Amino acid sequence: MQKVLGRIQAQVLRSRATNALANVVRHEATSSRTAAKPAATSKEFRERQVRFNIKNEQTEGRPLYLDAQATTPMDPRVLDAMLPYLTNFYGNPHSRTHAYGWETESAVEKAREQVATLIGADPKEIIFTSGATESNNIAVKGVARFYGTKKRHVITTQTEHKCVLDSCRALENEGFKVTYLPVLANGLIDLQQLEETITSETSLVSIMTVNNEIGVRQPVDEIGKLCRSRRVFFHTDAAQAVGKVPLDVNAMNIDLMSISGHKIYGPKGVGALYVRRRPRVRLEPIQSGGGQERGLRSGTVPAPLAVGLGAAAELSLREMDYDKKWVDFLSNRLLDRISSALPHVIRNGDAKATYNGCLNLSFAYVEGESLLMALKDVALSSGSACTSASLEPSYVLRAIGTDEDLAHSSIRFGIGRFTTVEEVDYTADKCIKHVERLREMSPLWEMVQEGIDLKTIQWSQH
Amino acid sequence: STGLALKTKDVVNITFVRANGDKIKTSGKVGDSLLDVVVNNNVDLDGFGACEGTLTCSTCHLIFKTSDFEKLPDKPGDEELDMLDLAYELTDTSRLGCQITLSKDMEGLEVHVPSTINDARAA
């Protein structure tokens, strides 16, 4: 219905509302609206047109950035650490016969230690990869395949990142059995259900720490304890969690952990995988080659990127409390402002077990894409960057049981270390203004105001 | 004569079986490692023991029979496992020869030598 109305307005705009056309439009409007209200006259229509017009609202410059789950800007201190290895110190860290190799190797090993310290691991347990997607692939496929002769079952959840789900799908094609655990309405898994799903055939449980779309934080310590007691390996995709929430692989019984560089203010194109040595986790490497990184990830380690990841890891460990307070403050401010001004705003995912830097809100009776278009000067996303090219509602929101119309109206606010109060206030004000504007245009909103329960309406197939 | 008796008592006979089935019969003393046996007897195994037992190469990879493997007194350590992960033709009963110390009850031990080796130092 919204679409019909939009089309009518577009027509009016194009024809400059010549009398004849306006009549046609008016006719269309009456026929498409089943409500008893009289159709708008062309004068009224033009007034609305002016009121709803946001054509000249665009400000100059680039939009402000509020999509910290997609990627984060690199911390200048990280760049400082990297620069020498992009210029003068260009040796191959695996060269054993000259000083160029040695100096780079020692820098890479220092970075390995920095990453290990962040998650309470031993440096030997860290292998550098190209990012969390690769880490997830190596972990999920590698463990399942290595133990595949005896155990052929893998457990994951429906809200995992696409690369975990796709790795599992690849395993299914190889004859593995995969269980995709459902999640509760708050986005958390049911531990009882997980326990019942683990069998003697299960080799791996893969559950992400913080969800990239709704920010929900799974109880990894309890999952780890359960997996250890059932002697099943536990992999967690911690790309969104590392450096933002305290993690300790030993205290939480985590056997494998995926880490991403560019989500923690580090460079893009680098990540890490933690692989436990005791009790030993073995996996079949995906990539063949020179046997670097314990043979698990052959290929020359990109020294500048690894150094950057190390520096980012150290910074995020040192400033974790500071960052947390700042992100919590901004996130609460944004949420308070929006929810105090607007009714029918739903927060997706659990409000307590969450990382506040990821705030996913559904604005009922507003189409998410329309709101994103209106908020052109704010870089936002309706969900994960990987799937935002499609207009399909997010599978994560569907998994938590969000109604389709609400899933279509969701926006993810990603707040990070460099987000400012002004940015949050600007976004909140803009958001409130445009939600109100779009709702005013929406016939659904009108019906809700009149007290009609939309769920009782039988929409006819046209 | 007691000395000689002691000597024969200390000797352990070992057989290396190549991938093609050839058997190389040799012997070592109690307390020697399997790498020592290969070096002391000039056993012709290409590239075997390149790092001289410093746990950096995985070239002394040997495959044991399950029953023999289970009798070995020590489990492989982390460093050895790291190297074994890099070895070709890895099995559940693989060990590095340099980490296996001969004892009297290993008399007549037969170990298989994989057809290819991987010198992990050549990265």
Side-chain angles (χ1 to χ4, degrees):
Chain A
M1 221 169 205
Q2 225 169 306
K3 271 187 194 150
V4 175
L5 213 66
R7 217 181 303 140
I8 297 164
Q9 287 183 350
Q11 276 185 13
V12 173
L13 200 68
R14 240 175 285 138
S15 64
R16 294 246 167 242
T18 55
N19 264 344
L21 247 165
N23 276 334
V24 175
V25 168
R26 212 180 310 150
H27 182 72
E28 258 189 45
T30 23
S31 63
S32 68
R33 295 266 294 272
T34 44
K37 277 197 139 197
T41 64
S42 54
K43 186 166 168 271
E44 275 169 356
F45 217 109
R46 236 171 301 143
E47 275 169 10
R48 283 178 95 179
Q49 195 68 52
V50 171
R51 194 146 48 89
F52 292 147
N53 195 352
I54 54 169
K55 213 175 163 186
N56 300 318
E57 269 203 6
Q58 299 308 319
T59 43
E60 274 190 32
R62 293 167 76 214
L64 67 86
Y65 191 76
L66 218 60
D67 200 8
Q69 275 68 49
T71 190
T72 52
M74 201 157 77
D75 194 301
R77 293 167 289 183
V78 171
L79 182 63
D80 283 348
M82 286 169 69
L83 268 177
Y85 299 94
L86 290 162
T87 49
N88 282 343
F89 297 82
Y90 47 78
N92 182 326
H94 310 295
S95 295
R96 296 280 161 82
T97 49
H98 49 70
Y100 288 81
W102 305 332
E103 65 200 11
T104 316
E105 189 192 17
S106 79
V108 168
E109 292 314 309
K110 185 186 161 210
R112 201 186 299 282
E113 207 177 314
Q114 287 167 322
V115 175
T117 312
L118 177 61
I119 58 168
D122 185 277
K124 281 187 181 148
E125 297 174 312
I126 302 294
I127 67 166
F128 286 115
T129 65
S130 67
T133 291
E134 191 188 350
S135 300
N136 285 335
N137 269 273
I138 296 174
V140 174
K141 290 179 188 165
V143 170
R145 283 176 188 161
F146 189 93
Y147 297 96
T149 48
K150 286 171 192 149
K151 296 176 160 191
R152 300 192 66 80
H153 181 220
V154 172
I155 300 172
T156 186
T157 72
Q158 291 177 359
T159 56
E160 289 302 304
H161 191 268
K162 267 268 145 70
C163 62
V164 171
L165 294 175
D166 226 43
S167 295
C168 287
R169 206 146 296 145
L171 289 174
E172 277 186 293
N173 288 342
E174 292 167 26
F176 285 86
K177 205 175 142 249
V178 180
T179 305
Y180 301 92
L181 279 181
V183 292
L184 306 170
N186 59 3
L188 293 170
I189 63 147
D190 181 356
L191 279 168
Q192 176 99 33
Q193 193 178 14
L194 172 64
E195 186 164 9
E196 284 160 9
T197 315
I198 297 176
T199 68
S200 57
E201 280 275 283
T202 311
S203 60
L204 180 75
V205 169
S206 177
I207 296 176
M208 73 204 313
T209 312
V210 167
N211 186 276
N212 55 314
E213 286 194 33
I214 52 177
V216 159
R217 196 178 161 189
Q218 301 287 356
V220 276
D221 43 353
E222 283 165 62
I223 299 169
K225 204 187 292 166
L226 175 63
C227 290
R228 183 63 54 86
S229 74
R230 300 291 297 270
R231 312 187 95 210
V232 173
F233 291 125
F234 173 37
H235 165 250
T236 186
D237 170 8
Q240 300 287 352
V242 161
K244 291 161 190 164
V245 296
L247 291 173
D248 186 301
V249 288
N250 291 320
M252 294 173 165
N253 291 312
I254 294 166
D255 296 309
L256 301 115
M257 181 193 277
S258 304
I259 297 166
S260 173
H262 71 111
K263 312 275 190 203
I264 57 168
Y265 313 95
K268 295 163 183 40
V270 70
L273 177 65
Y274 161 79
V275 184
R276 181 175 286 284
R277 282 171 99 219
R278 191 176 295 177
R280 197 175 185 81
V281 180
R282 304 180 89 165
L283 38 87
E284 205 180 281
I286 294 175
Q287 194 154 305
S288 309
Q292 290 92 345
E293 301 298 282
R294 280 169 62 190
L296 300 177
R297 206 275 188 176
S298 287
T300 300
V301 171
L305 298 180
V307 167
L309 175 60
E314 193 184 314
L315 281 173
S316 63
L317 178 63
R318 203 194 310 151
E319 299 185 353
M320 199 181 288
D321 286 340
Y322 183 93
D323 283 351
K324 184 187 172 345
K325 278 179 198 150
W326 183 240
V327 166
D328 283 355
F329 164 72
L330 291 179
S331 175
N332 291 335
R333 187 180 176 100
L334 182 65
L335 183 62
D336 286 349
R337 279 201 167 215
I338 290 178
S339 53
S340 62
L342 294 172
H344 301 284
V345 177
I346 296 106
R347 180 182 188 154
N348 294 308
D350 197 85
K352 285 215 179 67
T354 188
Y355 167 65
N356 274 327
C358 178
L359 187 62
N360 192 312
L361 301 178
S362 279
F363 299 93
Y365 320 114
V366 169
E367 214 193 2
E369 298 296 328
S370 319
L371 187 53
L372 283 182
M373 300 263 240
L375 295 171
K376 260 188 189 144
D377 42 4
V378 185
L380 286 165
S381 159
S382 56
S384 131
C386 317
T387 42
S388 62
S390 77
L391 285 175
E392 280 292 296
S394 139
Y395 63 91
V396 174
L397 293 180
R398 261 183 305 176
I400 64 172
T402 313
D403 289 337
E404 183 131 339
D405 49 340
L406 278 179
H408 270 296
S409 63
S410 77
I411 300 248
R412 180 182 70 182
F413 299 91
I415 295 160
R417 183 184 288 166
F418 302 112
T419 310
T420 64
V421 179
E422 291 77 15
E423 284 176 326
V424 163
D425 289 353
Y426 181 85
T427 306
D429 293 346
K430 261 276 165 98
C431 193
I432 293 162
K433 182 180 155 198
H434 285 295
V435 168
E436 278 171 349
R437 182 182 66 88
L438 289 166
R439 276 181 179 171
E440 219 170 316
M441 284 201 271
S442 159
L444 294 178
W445 177 248
E446 211 168 301
M447 288 157 96
V448 171
Q449 296 304 97
E450 286 162 8
I452 300 169
D453 184 0
L454 294 181
K455 290 225 165 64
T456 62
I457 294 173
Q458 297 270 311
W459 302 105
S460 64
Q461 297 285 328
H462 49 93
Chain B
S1 63
T2 43
L4 190 71
L6 197 73
K7 232 180 182 175
T8 50
K9 213 176 165 188
D10 283 351
V11 171
V12 183
N13 290 302
I14 305 288
T15 308
F16 292 94
V17 185
R18 285 183 200 266
N20 63 10
D22 289 353
K23 291 189 176 184
I24 308 163
K25 287 183 189 295
T26 182
S27 62
K29 289 202 292 290
V30 169
D32 281 356
S33 73
L34 282 175
L35 171 62
D36 295 333
V37 174
V38 171
V39 173
N40 294 343
N41 297 295
N42 284 322
V43 179
D44 182 23
L45 296 173
D46 221 19
F48 197 90
C51 76
E52 302 183 355
T54 56
L55 279 176
T56 48
C57 79
S58 87
T59 58
C60 62
H61 172 205
L62 293 171
I63 299 161
F64 290 72
K65 285 189 207 132
T66 312
S67 55
D68 292 332
F69 182 82
E70 281 163 1
K71 269 191 272 173
L72 295 174
D74 305 311
K75 291 264 163 287
D78 287 342
E79 305 295 330
E80 185 183 348
L81 286 170
D82 280 350
M83 283 305 125
L84 278 172
D85 278 350
L86 300 171
Y88 297 147
E89 299 165 50
L90 183 69
T91 69
D92 287 339
T93 57
S94 289
R95 288 295 299 265
L96 292 186
C98 65
Q99 300 302 306
I100 306 299
T101 311
L102 293 188
S103 62
K104 195 60 210 163
D105 63 338
M106 287 182 191
E107 174 59 36
L109 179 73
E110 240 184 50
V111 287
H112 286 257
V113 184
S115 60
T116 45
I117 56 159
N118 177 27
D119 189 345
R121 298 170 308 164

Tab-separated table of all heavy atoms in Angstrom, chain A residues 80-118:
chain	number	residue	atom	x	y	z
A	80	ASP	N	50.836	3.499	12.890
A	80	ASP	CA	52.194	3.817	13.320
A	80	ASP	C	53.038	2.556	13.477
A	80	ASP	O	54.203	2.518	13.091
A	80	ASP	CB	52.173	4.570	14.667
A	80	ASP	CG	51.790	6.027	14.482
A	80	ASP	OD1	51.780	6.476	13.318
A	80	ASP	OD2	51.488	6.698	15.479
A	81	ALA	N	52.426	1.544	14.072
A	81	ALA	CA	53.167	0.301	14.291
A	81	ALA	C	53.472	-0.402	12.980
A	81	ALA	O	54.510	-1.050	12.820
A	81	ALA	CB	52.357	-0.620	15.213
A	82	MET	N	52.553	-0.241	12.028
A	82	MET	CA	52.696	-0.978	10.768
A	82	MET	C	53.692	-0.348	9.809
A	82	MET	O	54.357	-1.049	9.049
A	82	MET	CB	51.337	-1.047	10.061
A	82	MET	CG	50.355	-1.996	10.674
A	82	MET	SD	48.726	-1.748	9.953
A	82	MET	CE	48.994	-2.345	8.293
A	83	LEU	N	53.746	0.996	9.817
A	83	LEU	CA	54.482	1.709	8.761
A	83	LEU	C	55.906	1.216	8.511
A	83	LEU	O	56.293	1.035	7.352
A	83	LEU	CB	54.475	3.217	9.037
A	83	LEU	CG	53.320	3.957	8.363
A	83	LEU	CD1	53.326	5.424	8.739
A	83	LEU	CD2	53.380	3.802	6.844
A	84	PRO	N	56.707	0.962	9.559
A	84	PRO	CA	58.070	0.498	9.276
A	84	PRO	C	58.089	-0.780	8.447
A	84	PRO	O	58.972	-0.967	7.603
A	84	PRO	CB	58.654	0.237	10.666
A	84	PRO	CG	57.818	1.001	11.606
A	84	PRO	CD	56.463	1.128	10.991
A	85	TYR	N	57.080	-1.632	8.660
A	85	TYR	CA	57.070	-2.925	7.968
A	85	TYR	C	56.456	-2.820	6.580
A	85	TYR	O	56.432	-3.788	5.830
A	85	TYR	CB	56.369	-3.972	8.836
A	85	TYR	CG	57.117	-4.140	10.131
A	85	TYR	CD1	56.763	-3.424	11.269
A	85	TYR	CD2	58.263	-4.938	10.182
A	85	TYR	CE1	57.502	-3.520	12.437
A	85	TYR	CE2	59.005	-5.038	11.342
A	85	TYR	CZ	58.621	-4.316	12.460
A	85	TYR	OH	59.371	-4.409	13.599
A	86	LEU	N	55.924	-1.634	6.275
A	86	LEU	CA	55.444	-1.389	4.909
A	86	LEU	C	56.530	-0.712	4.081
A	86	LEU	O	56.412	-0.587	2.865
A	86	LEU	CB	54.194	-0.491	4.945
A	86	LEU	CG	52.919	-1.120	5.502
A	86	LEU	CD1	51.920	-0.061	5.881
A	86	LEU	CD2	52.324	-2.075	4.488
A	87	THR	N	57.563	-0.238	4.770
A	87	THR	CA	58.604	0.506	4.047
A	87	THR	C	59.958	-0.186	4.189
A	87	THR	O	60.295	-1.063	3.406
A	87	THR	CB	58.667	1.955	4.551
A	87	THR	OG1	58.725	1.948	5.978
A	87	THR	CG2	57.429	2.719	4.135
A	88	ASN	N	60.718	0.181	5.229
A	88	ASN	CA	62.094	-0.301	5.304
A	88	ASN	C	62.245	-1.771	5.690
A	88	ASN	O	63.125	-2.457	5.190
A	88	ASN	CB	62.885	0.548	6.307
A	88	ASN	CG	63.275	1.873	5.706
A	88	ASN	OD1	63.227	2.025	4.482
A	88	ASN	ND2	63.643	2.824	6.533
A	89	PHE	N	61.384	-2.235	6.604
A	89	PHE	CA	61.535	-3.604	7.091
A	89	PHE	C	60.657	-4.530	6.259
A	89	PHE	O	59.578	-4.898	6.670
A	89	PHE	CB	61.156	-3.686	8.569
A	89	PHE	CG	62.038	-2.856	9.458
A	89	PHE	CD1	61.834	-1.492	9.619
A	89	PHE	CD2	63.091	-3.454	10.132
A	89	PHE	CE1	62.657	-0.734	10.430
A	89	PHE	CE2	63.919	-2.698	10.959
A	89	PHE	CZ	63.703	-1.332	11.103
A	90	TYR	N	61.145	-4.867	5.077
A	90	TYR	CA	60.281	-5.580	4.136
A	90	TYR	C	60.611	-7.053	4.004
A	90	TYR	O	60.146	-7.726	3.105
A	90	TYR	CB	60.360	-4.911	2.755
A	90	TYR	CG	61.765	-4.630	2.301
A	90	TYR	CD1	62.550	-5.654	1.788
A	90	TYR	CD2	62.303	-3.359	2.390
A	90	TYR	CE1	63.855	-5.393	1.380
A	90	TYR	CE2	63.588	-3.087	1.989
A	90	TYR	CZ	64.366	-4.116	1.490
A	90	TYR	OH	65.648	-3.864	1.100
A	91	GLY	N	61.456	-7.571	4.898
A	91	GLY	CA	61.884	-8.964	4.765
A	91	GLY	C	60.734	-9.948	4.879
A	91	GLY	O	59.675	-9.637	5.415
A	92	ASN	N	60.975	-11.139	4.347
A	92	ASN	CA	60.014	-12.222	4.496
A	92	ASN	C	60.230	-12.851	5.872
A	92	ASN	O	61.323	-13.299	6.172
A	92	ASN	CB	60.259	-13.264	3.391
A	92	ASN	CG	59.266	-14.410	3.440
A	92	ASN	OD1	58.822	-14.824	4.508
A	92	ASN	ND2	58.929	-14.934	2.278
A	93	PRO	N	59.197	-12.874	6.700
A	93	PRO	CA	59.404	-13.371	8.067
A	93	PRO	C	59.873	-14.821	8.112
A	93	PRO	O	60.313	-15.294	9.155
A	93	PRO	CB	58.031	-13.212	8.722
A	93	PRO	CG	57.069	-13.115	7.601
A	93	PRO	CD	57.806	-12.489	6.462
A	94	HIS	N	59.758	-15.537	7.001
A	94	HIS	CA	60.178	-16.935	7.006
A	94	HIS	C	61.585	-17.112	6.456
A	94	HIS	O	62.085	-18.235	6.397
A	94	HIS	CB	59.178	-17.776	6.215
A	94	HIS	CG	57.762	-17.520	6.629
A	94	HIS	ND1	57.297	-17.841	7.883
A	94	HIS	CD2	56.727	-16.920	5.990
A	94	HIS	CE1	56.026	-17.465	7.981
A	94	HIS	NE2	55.662	-16.895	6.845
A	95	SER	N	62.228	-16.015	6.052
A	95	SER	CA	63.615	-16.109	5.583
A	95	SER	C	64.517	-16.348	6.780
A	95	SER	O	64.552	-15.540	7.706
A	95	SER	CB	64.030	-14.812	4.873
A	95	SER	OG	63.285	-14.644	3.708
A	96	ARG	N	65.269	-17.433	6.745
A	96	ARG	CA	66.083	-17.781	7.906
A	96	ARG	C	67.536	-17.401	7.713
A	96	ARG	O	68.340	-17.562	8.615
A	96	ARG	CB	66.011	-19.304	8.148
A	96	ARG	CG	64.642	-19.800	8.510
A	96	ARG	CD	64.345	-19.536	9.983
A	96	ARG	NE	62.924	-19.580	10.266
A	96	ARG	CZ	62.244	-20.697	10.473
A	96	ARG	NH1	62.839	-21.855	10.433
A	96	ARG	NH2	60.954	-20.647	10.725
A	97	THR	N	67.898	-16.924	6.537
A	97	THR	CA	69.325	-16.793	6.232
A	97	THR	C	69.833	-15.368	6.280
A	97	THR	O	71.014	-15.133	6.008
A	97	THR	CB	69.605	-17.358	4.823
A	97	THR	OG1	68.659	-16.790	3.914
A	97	THR	CG2	69.486	-18.875	4.819
A	98	HIS	N	69.000	-14.389	6.598
A	98	HIS	CA	69.517	-13.019	6.660
A	98	HIS	C	68.723	-12.151	7.626
A	98	HIS	O	67.615	-12.514	8.050
A	98	HIS	CB	69.562	-12.372	5.269
A	98	HIS	CG	68.279	-12.510	4.501
A	98	HIS	ND1	67.137	-11.848	4.850
A	98	HIS	CD2	67.970	-13.258	3.414
A	98	HIS	CE1	66.173	-12.154	4.006
A	98	HIS	NE2	66.658	-13.031	3.124
A	99	ALA	N	69.293	-11.004	7.932
A	99	ALA	CA	68.731	-10.120	8.960
A	99	ALA	C	67.349	-9.593	8.577
A	99	ALA	O	66.517	-9.355	9.448
A	99	ALA	CB	69.669	-8.942	9.210
A	100	TYR	N	67.090	-9.420	7.281
A	100	TYR	CA	65.780	-8.925	6.852
A	100	TYR	C	64.678	-9.869	7.321
A	100	TYR	O	63.619	-9.441	7.798
A	100	TYR	CB	65.734	-8.779	5.328
A	100	TYR	CG	66.560	-7.625	4.816
A	100	TYR	CD1	67.933	-7.758	4.645
A	100	TYR	CD2	65.965	-6.407	4.517
A	100	TYR	CE1	68.699	-6.700	4.201
A	100	TYR	CE2	66.716	-5.340	4.063
A	100	TYR	CZ	68.094	-5.486	3.910
A	100	TYR	OH	68.840	-4.435	3.473
A	101	GLY	N	64.960	-11.148	7.174
A	101	GLY	CA	63.993	-12.137	7.636
A	101	GLY	C	63.858	-12.126	9.147
A	101	GLY	O	62.750	-12.161	9.682
A	102	TRP	N	64.998	-12.029	9.830
A	102	TRP	CA	64.954	-12.142	11.298
A	102	TRP	C	64.176	-10.994	11.933
A	102	TRP	O	63.391	-11.214	12.839
A	102	TRP	CB	66.382	-12.190	11.876
A	102	TRP	CG	67.230	-13.276	11.291
A	102	TRP	CD1	66.786	-14.459	10.778
A	102	TRP	CD2	68.655	-13.269	11.138
A	102	TRP	NE1	67.839	-15.200	10.312
A	102	TRP	CE2	69.006	-14.498	10.516
A	102	TRP	CE3	69.668	-12.366	11.449
A	102	TRP	CZ2	70.330	-14.836	10.211
A	102	TRP	CZ3	70.990	-12.718	11.151
A	102	TRP	CH2	71.309	-13.925	10.537
A	103	GLU	N	64.460	-9.763	11.444
A	103	GLU	CA	63.802	-8.624	12.101
A	103	GLU	C	62.284	-8.686	11.884
A	103	GLU	O	61.499	-8.381	12.776
A	103	GLU	CB	64.395	-7.301	11.602
A	103	GLU	CG	64.147	-7.020	10.125
A	103	GLU	CD	65.105	-6.002	9.536
A	103	GLU	OE1	66.094	-5.648	10.196
A	103	GLU	OE2	64.854	-5.572	8.392
A	104	THR	N	61.873	-9.105	10.684
A	104	THR	CA	60.435	-9.210	10.424
A	104	THR	C	59.840	-10.347	11.241
A	104	THR	O	58.735	-10.232	11.771
A	104	THR	CB	60.182	-9.438	8.923
A	104	THR	OG1	61.009	-8.552	8.198
A	104	THR	CG2	58.750	-9.184	8.573
A	105	GLU	N	60.599	-11.441	11.331
A	105	GLU	CA	60.089	-12.576	12.095
A	105	GLU	C	59.854	-12.176	13.555
A	105	GLU	O	58.831	-12.524	14.141
A	105	GLU	CB	61.054	-13.755	12.025
A	105	GLU	CG	60.436	-15.010	12.618
A	105	GLU	CD	61.446	-16.124	12.838
A	105	GLU	OE1	62.660	-15.841	12.841
A	105	GLU	OE2	61.013	-17.266	13.039
A	106	SER	N	60.798	-11.428	14.117
A	106	SER	CA	60.628	-11.074	15.530
A	106	SER	C	59.427	-10.153	15.707
A	106	SER	O	58.722	-10.217	16.714
A	106	SER	CB	61.908	-10.462	16.089
A	106	SER	OG	62.006	-9.114	15.695
A	107	ALA	N	59.155	-9.304	14.697
A	107	ALA	CA	57.973	-8.439	14.780
A	107	ALA	C	56.698	-9.268	14.710
A	107	ALA	O	55.734	-9.017	15.437
A	107	ALA	CB	57.997	-7.418	13.650
A	108	VAL	N	56.689	-10.274	13.831
A	108	VAL	CA	55.509	-11.134	13.700
A	108	VAL	C	55.297	-11.919	14.991
A	108	VAL	O	54.160	-12.071	15.461
A	108	VAL	CB	55.663	-12.084	12.487
A	108	VAL	CG1	54.590	-13.164	12.511
A	108	VAL	CG2	55.591	-11.301	11.188
A	109	GLU	N	56.406	-12.375	15.587
A	109	GLU	CA	56.264	-13.150	16.824
A	109	GLU	C	55.766	-12.273	17.972
A	109	GLU	O	55.025	-12.730	18.835
A	109	GLU	CB	57.591	-13.828	17.198
A	109	GLU	CG	58.001	-14.936	16.233
A	109	GLU	CD	56.850	-15.887	15.881
A	109	GLU	OE1	56.194	-16.398	16.802
A	109	GLU	OE2	56.598	-16.085	14.662
A	110	LYS	N	56.191	-11.000	17.957
A	110	LYS	CA	55.693	-10.080	18.986
A	110	LYS	C	54.176	-9.891	18.813
A	110	LYS	O	53.415	-9.890	19.782
A	110	LYS	CB	56.417	-8.732	18.869
A	110	LYS	CG	56.032	-7.770	19.984
A	110	LYS	CD	56.651	-6.386	19.777
A	110	LYS	CE	55.902	-5.360	20.605
A	110	LYS	NZ	55.923	-4.031	19.971
A	111	ALA	N	53.765	-9.761	17.554
A	111	ALA	CA	52.334	-9.592	17.272
A	111	ALA	C	51.554	-10.822	17.724
A	111	ALA	O	50.464	-10.712	18.295
A	111	ALA	CB	52.122	-9.351	15.786
A	112	ARG	N	52.144	-11.987	17.491
A	112	ARG	CA	51.496	-13.236	17.892
A	112	ARG	C	51.268	-13.230	19.404
A	112	ARG	O	50.224	-13.637	19.903
A	112	ARG	CB	52.397	-14.405	17.493
A	112	ARG	CG	51.685	-15.734	17.370
A	112	ARG	CD	52.655	-16.861	17.114
A	112	ARG	NE	53.419	-16.739	15.881
A	112	ARG	CZ	52.944	-17.012	14.670
A	112	ARG	NH1	51.713	-17.405	14.550
A	112	ARG	NH2	53.689	-16.875	13.592
A	113	GLU	N	52.290	-12.728	20.117
A	113	GLU	CA	52.185	-12.681	21.571
A	113	GLU	C	51.093	-11.687	21.993
A	113	GLU	O	50.330	-11.949	22.925
A	113	GLU	CB	53.537	-12.262	22.136
A	113	GLU	CG	53.788	-12.766	23.527
A	113	GLU	CD	55.180	-12.369	24.012
A	113	GLU	OE1	56.145	-12.530	23.241
A	113	GLU	OE2	55.269	-11.877	25.143
A	114	GLN	N	51.024	-10.557	21.303
A	114	GLN	CA	50.009	-9.547	21.652
A	114	GLN	C	48.602	-10.101	21.476
A	114	GLN	O	47.728	-9.873	22.301
A	114	GLN	CB	50.197	-8.300	20.775
A	114	GLN	CG	51.427	-7.476	21.151
A	114	GLN	CD	51.762	-6.438	20.084
A	114	GLN	OE1	51.638	-6.702	18.891
A	114	GLN	NE2	52.195	-5.270	20.511
A	115	VAL	N	48.405	-10.842	20.377
A	115	VAL	CA	47.082	-11.429	20.139
A	115	VAL	C	46.793	-12.477	21.201
A	115	VAL	O	45.689	-12.542	21.759
A	115	VAL	CB	47.007	-12.044	18.721
A	115	VAL	CG1	45.679	-12.758	18.524
A	115	VAL	CG2	47.187	-10.974	17.661
A	116	ALA	N	47.814	-13.290	21.521
A	116	ALA	CA	47.628	-14.359	22.508
A	116	ALA	C	47.262	-13.776	23.871
A	116	ALA	O	46.366	-14.281	24.553
A	116	ALA	CB	48.891	-15.202	22.606
A	117	THR	N	47.951	-12.687	24.254
A	117	THR	CA	47.691	-12.081	25.561
A	117	THR	C	46.246	-11.613	25.676
A	117	THR	O	45.619	-11.748	26.729
A	117	THR	CB	48.625	-10.876	25.773
A	117	THR	OG1	49.946	-11.282	25.430
A	117	THR	CG2	48.609	-10.416	27.217
A	118	LEU	N	45.719	-11.086	24.582
A	118	LEU	CA	44.354	-10.550	24.594
A	118	LEU	C	43.319	-11.604	24.979
A	118	LEU	O	42.316	-11.301	25.619
A	118	LEU	CB	44.038	-9.956	23.218
A	118	LEU	CG	42.633	-9.406	22.988
A	118	LEU	CD1	42.331	-8.281	23.941
A	118	LEU	CD2	42.482	-8.933	21.552
